[in-house]
Amino acid sequence: MTKRLNFRPGVIVAAAVATLLALSGCGGSTPASTSTAGNPYGLIQPGTIRVASLGDAKPYTFADAQGNFTGFDVELFKDVAHRAGVDNVVFTGQDFSGLLAAVANGQFDVGVAAIGITDKRKETVDFSDGYLAGYLTIITTKTSGIKDANGLAGKRLGVVQGTLQEAYAVKNFTSASLVRFPDNNTAIAALNNGSVDAHFLDYEAAKSYEKQHGLVSAADIPSFDAPAGFAMAKGKTALKEALNKGLAEAMEDGTWKKLYKKWFPGSPMPEQYLPKAEQTTTPAPSK
Ligand code: SNW
């Protein structure tokens, strides 16, 4: 109540100023021009990037024991944001299914969570250039008997709602019963207690859970046509350009490679994100 009362006069003053500016012809034709000066990227709060992320997609994005966000995507994004001149980056965990909508409607400035770039998602948000392309993995228990995708027939397969895994499974694993979960942790708990037979998730996250719970991979499915990108509301051109510039720099100076080795040790090194001098084949076109 008090907050509201305090807030109102500010709104009235702002409205009055806007009216005066409009009447006097100051302020220019774009009302955003005043705010653009101190807020070139159109951030919710100038100088801070508010990021919608996931707390349980290790090693891409996850909250550590202290509740701090870390992982490959988190460290890469912070590095890129720094290059764009923003050091204050605040990560918040979301359910994946609501993440892109929350970015599109302005609750967050950016979505960072190994989010694959697809034409369908581009109807909702804009994406930076791609920064990761890999596999989706079916994980299961050692005793389930599921050895490959065909083994899913008649089995219960977990997917996180809104992911590419869900879309892929709906299309291709038609003989499995899909069980939708809000996040990986819930799905893995269900796998461990036997209420699903397998779970379908990102390759690197699968490896983490395999190690943690003694689970095994039954199949790896390429997702190279949907490289991960940073998601933004449409029309944030300055922000997108700054992030793309930062990303390109992070790739060219070896930062991307360093982070890849740190977070995905033992995984094959994709060449298209390495410094140009280290690429031996023709780089794949970035989206
Ligand atoms: O499409 C892949 C991409 O090739 C890379 O391996 C990183 O993950 C993906 O972007 C797929 N990620 C899923 C998606 O975009 C799930 C995201 C998540 O669980 N964090 O729907």
Side-chain angles (χ1 to χ4, degrees), residues 54 57 60-61 96 113-117 121 132-136 160 162-165 184 201-203 205 222-229:
L54 297 176
Y60 303 98
T61 60
F96 193 81
I115 306 166
I117 303 168
R121 288 174 175 170
L132 204 57
Y135 293 87
L136 310 174
V160 171
T163 58
L164 295 181
Q165 296 84 275
N184 282 323
L201 73 174
D202 281 336
Y203 173 83
S223 186
F224 299 112
D225 56 341

Side-chain angles (χ1 to χ4, degrees), residues 8-23:
R8 284 229 162 121
V11 172
I12 293 164
V13 169
V17 169
T19 313
L20 279 178
L21 284 174
L23 287 175

Side-chain angles (χ1 to χ4, degrees), residues 54 57 60 96 113-116 118 121 134-139 152 157-173 178-181 183-184 187 199-206 219 221-223 226:
L54 297 176
Y60 303 98
F96 193 81
I115 306 166
T118 65
R121 288 174 175 170
Y135 293 87
L136 310 174
T137 296
I138 298 165
I139 52 172
L152 292 173
L157 175 67
V159 286
V160 171
Q161 237 166 357
T163 58
L164 295 181
Q165 296 84 275
E166 181 189 24
Y168 186 93
V170 165
K171 212 168 151 197
N172 300 286
F173 303 148
L178 296 189
V179 184
R180 289 165 173 84
F181 291 94
D183 53 47
N184 282 323
H199 178 51
F200 190 25
L201 73 174
D202 281 336
Y203 173 83
E204 300 287 352
I221 289 147
S223 186

Side-chain angles (χ1 to χ4, degrees), residues 17 40 46-47 104 107 115-116 138 146 160 162 172-174 176 185 187 189 193 198 219-220 228 252 260 275 287:
V17 169
Q107 280 173 262
I115 306 166
I138 298 165
I146 301 169
V160 171
N172 300 286
F173 303 148
T174 47
N185 278 348
N193 74 26
D220 294 327
E252 191 53 37
Y260 188 92
K287 276 206 186 179

